[in-house]
Amino acid sequence: MAEEKAKVEVEETTATVEVKEEVQTQQDPQEFLDNFDWDKYEEGIEKVEDSKLNEFEKLVEENFVDTADEEVVQGSVVHMTDREAIIDINAKSEGVISLNEFRYNPDLKVGDKVEVLIDIREDKTGQLVLSHRKARTIMAWDRVNAAHDKEEIVTGFVKCRTKGGMIVDVFGIEAFLPGSQIDVKPIRDYDQYVGKTMEFKVVKINHEFKNVVVSHKALIEADIEEQKKEIIGQLEKGQVLEGVVKNVTSYGVFIDLGGVDGLIHITDLSWSRINHPNEVVELDQKLNVVILDFDDNKSRIQLGLKQLEKHPWDALGDEIKIGDKVKGKVVVIADYGAFIEVAEGVEGLIHVSEMSWSTHLRSAQDFVKVGDEVEAVVLTLDREDRKMSLGIKQLTPDPWTDITSKYPVGSKHKGIVRNFTNFGVFVEMEEGIDGLIYISDLSWTKKIKHPSEFVTVGDTLEVEVLELDVEGRKLSLGHKQTTENPWDKYADEFAEGTIHKAAIAEVVDKGATINFNEDIVGFVPSRHMEKEDGKKLGKGEEVDFKIIEFNKDFKRVVASHTAIFREQEERNISAARRKAAASAEETKTTFGDANAQLQALKDKMEADSKKK
């Protein structure tokens, strides 16, 4: 150590040093050191007594520091230049530190006390090397750890923002301030905190990676918790409080009541229907709210804003009554109808069935859209339940009022195919008047399994009114009746027994089909497909067919090929039978004569024998 080295050097030369006692007693320690002749001392010219040497050691101990490496000591600024500060730590020489290490302290001046770290006692030039930055880091870690252990409040400077939060200078250490720890309410503008000095609490230290996390939110949460307990203890349903809009979501608004959050659901913001809460409120807005409800722990508080105003239905004038015409704006559309706001907060429903006289229901979107201004008639009005039903079709005459004069039975018209089912087709005669064509009344000749085989939606059809039910608002129509029934003229042409030439169109179960023309399709049973040679008719073979059945009502035609040659066979068989019968009769006569002759001969022979 420095003191021991000085002591050894002094003891080796005590015999050669002489100092007058009376002078020494009159000098103070600093004067003694200033006037001490080191040259004479080293050459052994002067002698120092033991008492003086002890005093010298004491002076060295009091005035000179132990310049050990990596040690933090306090020094004084003795001189400053444009780039450096000269620091005295009571060592053999002063140290020099760049002013860059004092950027955090632009007010540094001569005489200020600063902490420094002794990097090197002497460099190659004998200069003492110091570092203020390293000293601050070492001291800062000690102070940060102490603040964390003791949960003390520290002051820091917000340097800049970074991903997810802010960088804060705490005792010279860069600490991380998460965005969620800046305040108890969500932060929308981080930049407003940059350059500010704030108080923080050290919440986490990672010694391995030298990371420090601080929180400003933790400091105010304690105060908020106290405020929260006080507010919650005084909560009552119906109580009106002042709050600040903290957050706006699609389903509602969160209100800060002074440490306690409450929610105004979107349906409790306004008596009128709104699409989003930002139509009524905005962030940081101050407003009065009423407490509607809360849970047992009062942790979930339901608030209301519209409840502070009189319900619009209560303010609705008595002049509105059933049958009146009202105007309003379409605010909501559903499949079953549209809601019309006839006054602020007062809505009426127009059911889709009240939008048109047509019995063929469509979507409400086919008639109106959101934002439309419409006129309607009040159909029902219930002030107690605050319900109102409206109608649009009532603004026009009911087309069924004079239906008998416009569409009498037997009259022919044109209609548009709007829809079809398995059993028929719905045809719109005009707006509000639909008629039904049963599948059997579509064609005289074609056998239709489904209406889509015959028509498509949107087609225009000729129709004839078959039946009219005014009370039931039903109209029965026919399409085939608009043309002549071809089966009337085919009754003679294809009468039973007539013969026609045709080809086998399709071979089906139990027989085959043949097309006599575009209207008449005949059926040939299997047993009537046999040819004269005994073989069966095949698809495409063209031969003569005999009509064996014709039914106009059921549009049924049955034909036979076999009957043609079988009839000739039967005639041939009949002729053969007649010839055979004639031959048999003739043969019978010949045999009778022979028998008579034989009998006569026998009688003669018997008579002759008697004579003999």
Side-chain angles (χ1 to χ4, degrees):
M1 302 296 288
E3 292 101 332
E4 294 176 354
K5 182 178 180 182
K7 182 177 180 181
V8 172
E9 292 175 348
V10 173
E11 289 177 349
E12 289 177 351
T13 59
T14 53
T16 61
V17 179
E18 182 176 355
V19 181
K20 294 180 180 181
E21 184 175 353
E22 58 272 21
V23 176
Q24 293 295 327
T25 57
Q26 296 176 1
Q27 294 178 333
D28 61 14
Q30 187 61 43
E31 185 180 358
F32 170 77
L33 292 173
D34 293 341
N35 297 329
F36 189 80
D37 193 342
W38 290 98
D39 292 335
K40 291 181 179 182
Y41 169 75
E42 291 178 355
E43 293 175 3
I45 300 175
E46 294 187 7
K47 181 181 178 181
V48 181
E49 296 180 359
D50 290 342
S51 61
K52 302 303 179 184
L53 289 175
N54 292 334
E55 186 176 354
F56 176 75
E57 291 178 3
K58 183 179 180 181
L59 291 172
V60 171
E61 182 178 354
E62 291 177 355
N63 292 278
F64 291 92
V65 298
D66 182 7
T67 56
D69 295 346
E70 302 296 329
E71 183 178 351
V72 177
V73 296
Q74 191 176 67
S76 299
V77 179
V78 295
H79 184 68
M80 293 179 64
T81 67
D82 293 339
R83 298 172 59 186
E84 298 172 329
I86 310 302
I87 310 298
D88 180 18
I89 63 169
N90 288 334
K92 289 182 180 181
S93 62
E94 289 85 6
V96 179
I97 299 178
S98 172
L99 289 180
N100 287 334
E101 297 191 21
F102 296 97
R103 283 181 299 178
Y104 74 95
N105 185 9
D107 299 326
L108 183 69
K109 61 184 181 298
V110 175
D112 286 352
K113 300 292 184 180
V114 294
E115 288 85 11
V116 296
L117 177 72
I118 302 172
D119 264 353
I120 305 175
R121 286 178 295 175
E122 292 183 8
D123 61 5
K124 294 180 180 180
T125 62
Q127 178 67 53
L128 177 65
V129 180
L130 304 176
S131 173
H132 177 63
R133 180 179 58 80
K134 292 183 179 179
R136 286 191 73 222
T137 302
I138 294 174
M139 297 295 291
W141 271 104
D142 293 339
R143 295 175 68 181
V144 166
N145 280 283
H148 179 260
D149 296 338
K150 298 178 182 179
E151 297 185 354
E152 295 178 347
I153 298 174
V154 298
T155 301
F157 176 77
V158 181
K159 297 176 63 177
C160 62
R161 66 173 296 180
T162 185
K163 183 179 180 181
M166 317 290 291
I167 298 298
V168 180
D169 186 329
V170 179
F171 307 139
I173 295 177
E174 288 190 348
F176 178 60
L177 173 63
S180 61
Q181 296 299 315
I182 297 177
D183 204 339
V184 292
K185 59 184 179 181
I187 302 302
R188 292 177 290 276
D189 182 15
Y190 284 72
D191 293 332
Q192 63 178 315
Y193 294 94
V194 176
K196 289 186 177 182
T197 299
M198 303 170 60
E199 291 184 337
F200 302 97
K201 184 177 181 181
V202 180
V203 294
K204 184 178 181 181
I205 297 178
N206 189 318
H207 294 279
E208 181 180 357
F209 297 101
K210 299 295 183 181
N211 290 337
V212 178
V213 180
V214 296
S215 171
H216 178 68
K217 175 182 177 182
L219 297 179
I220 58 178
E221 281 182 335
D223 294 337
I224 291 176
E225 191 63 29
E226 291 298 325
Q227 297 176 12
K228 184 176 180 180
K229 290 180 181 179
E230 183 178 353
I231 294 173
I232 288 178
Q234 300 175 355
L235 288 182
E236 294 181 1
K237 293 181 181 180
Q239 184 179 8
V240 178
L241 299 174
E242 184 181 59
V244 179
V245 177
K246 180 179 180 181
N247 192 18
V248 179
T249 67
S250 60
Y251 55 87
V253 179
F254 287 94
I255 305 296
D256 184 359
L257 301 175
V260 180
D261 290 346
L263 173 65
I264 306 177
H265 194 269
I266 187 172
T267 57
D268 291 316
L269 282 170
S270 172
W271 292 114
S272 298
R273 195 184 295 267
I274 59 175
N275 296 317
H276 197 277
N278 57 20
E279 299 176 18
V280 180
V281 299
E282 58 184 16
L283 288 173
D284 300 325
Q285 179 183 351
K286 289 185 179 180
L287 43 80
N288 290 330
V289 294
V290 60
I291 297 177
L292 302 180
D293 201 0
F294 45 75
D295 58 8
D296 295 337
N297 298 326
K298 297 183 179 179
S299 57
R300 292 187 177 183
I301 304 173
Q302 183 180 347
L303 305 175
L305 181 63
K306 71 180 184 181
Q307 287 78 4
L308 296 176
E309 300 176 356
K310 189 177 181 180
H311 197 290
W313 271 90
D314 298 333
L316 188 65
D318 295 334
E319 64 275 6
I320 296 181
K321 57 185 181 297
I322 296 176
D324 287 349
K325 294 180 181 179
V326 294
K327 292 183 179 180
K329 183 175 69 174
V330 179
V331 290
V332 173
I333 293 181
D335 290 337
Y336 55 85
F339 288 92
I340 311 299
E341 188 176 50
V342 298
E344 185 176 358
V346 178
E347 296 178 1
L349 172 65
I350 304 179
H351 194 271
V352 66
S353 61
E354 303 297 339
M355 292 183 176
S356 171
W357 288 109
S358 175
T359 56
H360 177 61
L361 296 181
R362 287 171 279 175
S363 172
Q365 296 178 350
D366 296 335
F367 299 94
V368 294
K369 61 180 182 295
V370 174
D372 284 353
E373 295 286 343
V374 298
E375 185 178 26
V377 176
V378 179
L379 302 181
T380 63
L381 182 62
D382 189 340
R383 294 180 182 272
E384 292 184 1
D385 292 338
R386 295 169 178 171
K387 292 182 179 180
M388 181 190 303
S389 62
L390 307 172
I392 295 178
K393 70 181 183 181
Q394 288 76 10
L395 297 173
T396 58
D398 185 352
W400 281 84
T401 54
D402 56 351
I403 188 72
T404 54
S405 60
K406 289 192 297 185
Y407 301 101
V409 174
S411 61
K412 292 181 172 59
H413 309 273
K414 288 185 178 181
I416 299 175
V417 177
R418 292 301 184 191
N419 192 15
F420 46 71
T421 64
N422 292 332
F423 55 84
V425 179
F426 287 97
V427 178
E428 185 180 53
M429 307 301 292
E430 63 176 79
E431 181 72 23
I433 298 181
D434 292 344
L436 174 63
I437 304 176
Y438 282 99
I439 193 171
S440 58
D441 289 320
L442 286 173
S443 174
W444 289 112
T445 56
K446 294 181 179 178
K447 292 185 178 180
I448 302 171
K449 295 181 179 179
H450 192 274
S452 59
E453 300 174 7
F454 188 79
V455 294
T456 58
V457 174
D459 286 351
T460 299
L461 280 184
E462 292 275 355
V463 295
E464 180 178 321
V465 178
L466 303 182
E467 294 181 12
L468 179 60
D469 182 357
V470 179
E471 293 182 0
R473 301 173 80 93
K474 293 181 180 180
L475 190 63
S476 179
L477 306 173
H479 171 65
K480 70 180 183 181
Q481 288 79 3
T482 60
T483 60
E484 184 182 356
N485 187 354
W487 287 85
D488 292 338
K489 64 179 181 179
Y490 293 146
D492 296 331
E493 182 179 351
F494 293 91
E496 293 183 8
T498 57
I499 298 176
H500 306 270
K501 178 170 283 189
I504 298 293
E506 293 290 339
V507 177
V508 297
D509 292 341
K510 299 181 179 180
T513 60
I514 52 178
N515 298 323
F516 290 112
N517 55 37
E518 60 180 6
D519 296 326
I520 303 297
V521 177
F523 176 71
V524 182
S526 294
R527 67 178 183 275
H528 292 278
M529 294 175 63
E530 184 177 346
K531 295 186 290 185
E532 193 171 0
D533 57 4
K535 296 181 180 180
K536 291 278 187 177
L537 289 171
K539 182 178 180 179
E541 288 191 62
E542 187 176 16
V543 293
D544 288 333
F545 291 94
K546 182 179 181 180
I547 305 300
I548 58 177
E549 181 183 348
F550 182 88
N551 191 314
K552 181 179 70 173
D553 296 330
F554 294 98
K555 302 178 182 62
R556 175 180 173 85
V557 177
V558 181
S560 172
H561 171 66
T562 305
I564 293 178
F565 64 83
R566 285 281 173 84
E567 183 178 355
Q568 183 62 41
E569 289 180 355
E570 289 178 358
R571 286 198 295 267
N572 293 338
I573 291 173
S574 297
R577 285 178 177 173
R578 288 195 297 271
K579 184 177 180 181
S583 298
E585 184 67 27
E586 182 179 355
T587 302
K588 182 178 179 181
T589 303
T590 303
F591 284 159
D593 294 343
N595 289 335
Q597 293 176 0
L598 290 173
Q599 186 64 39
L601 181 60
K602 181 179 180 182
D603 293 339
K604 184 179 178 182
M605 290 177 66
E606 289 178 352
D608 291 341
S609 63
K610 288 179 178 181
K611 288 180 179 181
K612 291 178 178 182

